[in-house]
Amino acid sequence: MKISILDDYFDTLRTLDCYRKLDGYDVKIWNDHVQDVDALAERLRDTDALVLIRERTQIRTPLLERLPKLKLISQRSVYPHIDIDTCTRLGIIVSSSQHADTPSYATAEFTWGMILAAMRAIPQQMAALKAGKWQIGVGHTLRGKTLGIYGYGRIGAVVAGYGKAFGMNVLVWAREPAMAKARADGYETSASKADFFARCDVLSLHMRLVDATRGIVKAEDLARMKQTALIVNTSRAPLIEPGALVNALRAGRPGMAAIDVYEKEPLRDPADPLLNMDNVVCTPHLGYVSRDEYEIQFTDIFDQILAYTAGTPTNVVNPDVLAHPDVLAHARPRG
């Protein structure tokens, strides 16, 4: 079976311990990023199983229809970048573990790093120092301030714990079952969405991107935030309605942002408004990018390939595909 892996920018995967799970398979790793359909169709023409690193590459119908040998896509987390219905029609299994058993501590830690960096203007101070300037402003401490957690899931709960350790007052807004869990964990929940946005000094988004959450943060929500407040997004850019964040920052509510995710990735346009605001800290979607997190994620991803070759695919997000007459015809062990 031929396995292709896309977007391994730093050729990291072959250095992981879990990569040994693919011993005996014909594996091709691509280290650059390509979105052109013709180029991808050529690269993947003999591929049986495709490994994706999050949403780095869009896998849409025009490409899928040119990959007659493809029988499995293995990845982790959500899959808005894959045309699932087309995969089902073409007999392609999509296996994607939703890591329900563990939070991404890498993302939670990175979120906290972003909060500290933005509140103390660390990147701006570093840039000024390198330019020969000594101190360019006064930052903000966290103790005693209100940390808002929008979406109290696995990562949100961990970030809330970091806030508590820093002496912050944690305030949660989410669906009622999640807020009930937050209250059971000892955190205050907000009476309304409007109250939540108005009270937070730091507001961090922690939701999956699904139809119900796309654009869930509106311009009017941002307009309620304090002029001194910070909004942090290490989840997904489309949680905020298009254009709302840039306009809100220009209007001064909130006063700051820390952003790790973008509408279009990779973001390579130096003229992008977010990259040209002094009150914004931007990073290139690094939340989950750590060796430790890669070991966890790709253990799941490679195990999904092994399960497929054993004829017992796991974490199938399009179960109707299993009724396809030859969906497991190419499933076979190493070699």
Side-chain angles (χ1 to χ4, degrees):
M1 186 173 74
K2 295 182 182 297
I3 301 171
S4 293
I5 303 176
L6 297 178
D7 297 300
D8 183 13
Y9 299 152
F10 306 107
D11 206 19
T12 304
L13 298 191
R14 69 177 78 250
T15 70
L16 301 178
D17 290 341
C18 64
Y19 187 72
R20 297 170 189 165
K21 291 176 178 287
L22 300 186
D23 285 351
Y25 288 110
D26 182 355
V27 182
K28 174 64 177 178
I29 300 177
W30 300 92
N31 305 127
D32 58 346
H33 172 74
V34 171
Q35 190 57 71
D36 179 76
V37 171
D38 289 339
L40 285 171
E42 176 62 25
R43 287 185 174 188
L44 304 177
R45 62 181 180 177
D46 295 322
T47 299
D48 299 299
L50 174 61
V51 171
L52 300 179
I53 301 180
R54 294 297 183 104
E55 298 108 283
R56 289 180 176 178
T57 295
Q58 301 287 308
I59 307 298
R60 301 300 185 194
T61 299
L63 173 62
L64 290 165
E65 290 181 338
R66 295 175 62 179
L67 302 176
K69 295 186 178 180
L70 184 62
K71 293 301 175 185
L72 172 70
I73 297 175
S74 185
Q75 63 146 55
R76 201 169 191 255
S77 194
V78 293
Y79 36 86
H81 54 300
I82 304 174
D83 283 344
I84 299 296
D85 289 344
T86 301
C87 288
T88 302
R89 172 170 59 83
L90 297 175
I92 301 168
I93 294 172
V94 180
S95 287
S96 188
S97 167
Q98 297 301 298
H99 48 91
D101 55 335
T102 178
S104 171
Y105 290 106
T107 301
E109 291 174 4
F110 190 81
T111 299
W112 202 254
M114 293 282 278
I115 291 171
L116 290 171
M119 292 294 278
R120 299 300 297 272
I122 293 173
Q124 297 93 326
Q125 295 280 8
M126 288 178 61
L129 185 62
K130 291 180 178 180
K133 300 176 183 178
W134 183 258
Q135 296 189 7
I136 58 170
V138 178
H140 305 268
T141 54
L142 295 173
R143 189 173 187 83
K145 291 186 171 65
T146 297
L147 169 65
I149 302 294
Y150 194 171
Y152 192 77
R154 294 181 305 277
I155 297 175
V158 174
V159 175
Y162 296 163
K164 182 178 180 180
F166 270 72
M168 299 189 76
N169 305 309
V170 177
L171 181 66
V172 175
W173 180 250
R175 294 177 301 163
E176 182 51 43
M179 289 206 290
K181 176 66 165 59
R183 288 191 288 268
D185 290 343
Y187 298 120
E188 181 185 0
T189 57
S190 190
S192 67
K193 186 181 182 185
D195 173 72
F196 176 74
F197 274 85
R199 290 175 59 189
C200 292
D201 295 296
V202 177
L203 193 159
S204 191
L205 305 180
H206 296 288
M207 290 169 282
R208 292 185 185 275
L209 179 61
V210 295
D211 288 343
T213 60
R214 185 176 296 273
I216 198 168
V217 177
K218 310 293 185 185
E220 55 264 33
D221 299 321
L222 298 174
R224 292 188 176 99
M225 296 184 72
K226 301 175 184 178
Q227 291 179 311
T228 55
L230 166 70
I231 188 166
V232 185
N233 192 358
T234 56
S235 294
R236 293 295 185 272
L239 293 173
I240 304 175
E241 66 178 0
L245 180 59
V246 168
N247 290 335
L249 290 166
R250 286 172 174 163
R253 290 181 183 271
M256 297 175 285
I259 304 298
D260 189 45
V261 288
Y262 308 91
E263 291 283 347
K264 182 179 180 180
E265 297 184 8
L267 175 60
R268 293 196 174 112
D269 179 9
D272 187 279
L274 289 173
L275 303 183
N276 290 278
M277 293 183 172
D278 292 336
N279 56 341
V280 181
V281 173
C282 291
T283 50
H285 205 154
L286 295 175
Y288 67 96
V289 183
S290 76
R291 292 191 63 86
D292 309 84
E293 184 73 7
Y294 268 32
E295 285 284 5
I296 295 169
Q297 293 196 14
F298 284 94
T299 293
D300 283 355
I301 290 169
F302 297 155
D303 279 346
Q304 288 170 172
I305 293 176
L306 300 185
Y308 168 79
T309 60
T312 55
T314 57
N315 302 317
V316 179
V317 303
N318 57 336
D320 289 348
V321 75
L322 299 178
H324 200 280
D326 61 346
V327 71
L328 295 175
H330 291 262
R332 54 183 181 274
R334 293 168 175 80

